[in-house]
């Protein structure tokens, strides 16, 4: 029985307690080094109580991934002006860095997890395709409105979206691994994540984001 069949789709204090404990332990030790008994002990419950909610460690990992994925959803942009859409996209990409850092252990071990867990791989692929398609449409609209440049061939807009996706998921963990976190060398994961977007701004697009870029620069310098 999988996690969705066992657990009603709502938050409960005990389930939240288990997921918090698991995320802490996974981050401290790595996922493979943590057992369900370790998680139960950290959560202050019996192994049997944990198994009521999650049949195994893999189901806990999937639940954490689903939470990360759900919180990564782009806000509703229906009816937004092109300028508003550009600002929403910029801030969503910056916020994603913070969210990815919160779930950094999943991001850090994502490739291995996807190769080991077919169910997780299917969930990830579905979320990836839907969001890449949506972001590609958003960028195409911004290009048609003169706020973004089209990438130079043979690079396509979809290539640009995929590259930005990879940067978003890998930048925080990579910078942490090489000791280049913000505040130590001045490198800002948010700036890296938005680098490709900003490199394709037209003068009109840069004018739209002028205040937002100044705010981001001031925040990074403090």
């Amino acid at each position: 029985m999988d996690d969705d069949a066992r657990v009603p789709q709502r938050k409960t204090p005990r389930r939240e307690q288990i997921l918090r404990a698991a995320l802490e332990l996974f981050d401290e030790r790595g996922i493979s080094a943590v057992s369900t008994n370790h998680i139960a002990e950290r959560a202050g419950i019996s192994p049997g109580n944990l198994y009521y909610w999650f049949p195994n460690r893999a189901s806990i990992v999937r639940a954490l991934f689903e939470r990360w994925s759900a919180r990564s959803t782009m806000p509703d942009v229906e009816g937004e002006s092109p300028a508003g859409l550009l600002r929403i996209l910029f801030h969503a990409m910056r916020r994603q860095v913070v969210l990815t850092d919160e779930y950094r252990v999943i991001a850090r071990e994502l490739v291995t997890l996807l190769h080991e867990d077919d169910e997780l791989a299917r969930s990830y692929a579905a979320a990836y395709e839907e969001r890449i398609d949506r972001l590609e449409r958003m960028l195409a609209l911004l290009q048609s409105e003169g706020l973004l440049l089209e990438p130079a061939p043979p690079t396509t807009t979809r290539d640009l979206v995929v590259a930005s996706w990879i940067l978003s998921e890998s930048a925080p963990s990579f910078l942490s691994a090489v000791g280049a976190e913000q505040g130590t060398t001045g490198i800002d994961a948010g700036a890296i994540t938005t680098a490709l977007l900003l490199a394709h701004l037209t003068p009109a697009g840069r004018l739209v984001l002028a205040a937002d870029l100044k705010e981001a620069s001031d925040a990074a310098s403090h």
Side-chain angles (χ1 to χ4, degrees):
M1 181 181 297
D2 63 21
D3 186 38
D4 287 341
R6 185 183 293 262
V7 182
Q9 292 304 298
R10 64 176 185 272
K11 291 184 178 181
T12 65
R14 183 52 51 83
R15 190 171 190 264
E16 295 298 303
Q17 184 180 355
I18 293 168
L19 291 176
R20 283 196 303 271
L23 191 60
E24 290 173 1
L25 284 170
F26 290 160
D27 191 38
E28 292 169 10
R29 308 180 189 179
I31 293 173
S32 63
V34 176
S35 69
T36 51
N37 284 347
H38 293 143
I39 297 169
E41 181 179 6
R42 174 65 65 91
I45 62 175
S46 69
N49 201 328
L50 182 145
Y51 290 135
Y52 172 79
W53 297 100
F54 299 100
N56 50 41
R57 184 180 64 194
S59 65
I60 296 175
V61 172
R62 290 183 208 122
L64 289 170
F65 165 74
E66 288 164 6
R67 181 157 301 180
W68 177 32
S69 181
R71 292 178 62 190
S72 299
T73 300
M74 284 286 295
D76 183 15
V77 296
E78 186 176 355
E80 281 290 340
S81 66
L85 178 60
L86 180 58
R87 296 187 70 245
I88 288 171
L89 180 60
F90 173 74
H91 286 288
M93 293 176 72
R94 300 245 347 151
R95 284 194 301 271
Q96 187 62 36
V97 171
V98 177
L99 182 58
T100 296
D101 186 59
E102 183 178 342
Y103 291 88
R104 58 186 170 270
V105 65
I106 307 296
R108 187 170 65 233
E109 302 191 27
L110 184 60
V111 174
T112 299
L113 292 170
L114 294 178
H115 281 92
E116 292 178 347
D117 187 334
D118 290 342
E119 183 177 337
L120 180 62
R122 286 191 295 270
S123 296
Y124 184 88
Y128 168 83
E129 290 296 337
E130 189 276 330
R131 288 172 192 163
I132 289 294
D133 288 345
R134 185 178 183 191
L135 287 167
E136 184 179 14
R137 291 193 298 270
M138 292 171 67
L139 263 63
L141 174 61
L142 293 172
Q143 290 164 354
S144 71
E145 294 291 337
L147 299 180
L148 284 181
L149 298 170
E150 295 187 19
T155 304
T156 66
T157 298
R158 194 173 186 85
D159 293 334
L160 180 63
V161 171
V162 172
S164 296
W165 177 288
I166 294 170
L167 283 174
S168 174
E169 293 202 342
S170 63
S173 294
F174 175 79
L175 293 176
S176 177
V178 298
E181 297 172 282
Q182 184 178 358
T184 58
T185 63
I187 297 176
D188 179 3
I192 292 173
T193 298
T194 56
L196 292 176
L197 175 72
L198 300 184
H200 287 80
L201 286 175
T202 64
R206 189 161 291 278
L207 184 61
V208 166
L209 287 183
D212 305 273
L213 292 171
K214 184 179 186 307
E215 180 183 345
S217 178
D218 290 345
S221 65
H222 287 89

